[in-house]
Amino acid sequence: MTTTPEVTIADARERIDSLDDRIIGLIQERMAVSSVVQQTRIASGGRRVHLAREMEILSRYREALGKPGTSLAMTLLELCRGRI
Ligand SMILES: O=C(O)C(=O)C[C@]1(C(=O)O)C=C[C@@H](O)C=C1
């Protein structure tokens, strides 16, 4: 069956929208889990931020996605723990 460029683009955009919905849901889930870690640490006398752990996360994203991965990880961390 043949299709048109318009249909191919519309179908692909639907998939992108669906992926973005899932990504947003995963980010919201990450924020909730991160909050549990931070609140638990603060309640036991620690600090909200754990820089060594953040370095591990930044490395993981950079290894998987290159330099923009670092920016993405920094944005995710800011969403999860606020600005430092
Ligand atoms: O893993 C932790 O210790 C967390 O508090 C979670 C988290 C994160 O969102 O990944 C948030 C703040 C910390 O600075 C480091 C990492």
Side-chain angles (χ1 to χ4, degrees):
M1 202 183 84
T2 56
T3 187
T4 63
E6 290 77 10
V7 168
T8 301
I9 288 169
D11 285 354
R13 282 182 175 165
E14 248 182 62
R15 289 169 58 203
I16 287 171
D17 287 346
S18 162
L19 287 164
D20 284 342
D21 283 344
R22 287 162 60 193
I23 291 167
I24 290 165
L26 287 170
I27 292 170
Q28 290 169 332
E29 188 177 341
R30 192 192 193 289
M31 290 165 71
V33 177
S34 176
S35 176
V36 170
V37 179
Q38 292 171 67
Q39 293 307 319
T40 304
R41 187 165 51 243
I42 290 165
S44 59
R47 294 171 181 234
R48 180 168 54 90
V49 171
H50 189 298
L51 285 178
R53 174 66 177 154
E54 295 203 4
M55 291 304 121
E56 287 175 12
I57 292 163
L58 293 174
S59 293
R60 175 182 298 165
Y61 275 80
R62 184 173 37 72
E63 278 162 29
L65 302 170
K67 201 173 168 199
T70 306
S71 306
L72 178 59
M74 285 170 73
T75 300
L76 284 172
L77 286 167
E78 185 177 333
L79 281 166
C80 289
R81 51 100 168 103
R83 280 179 177 249
I84 50 173

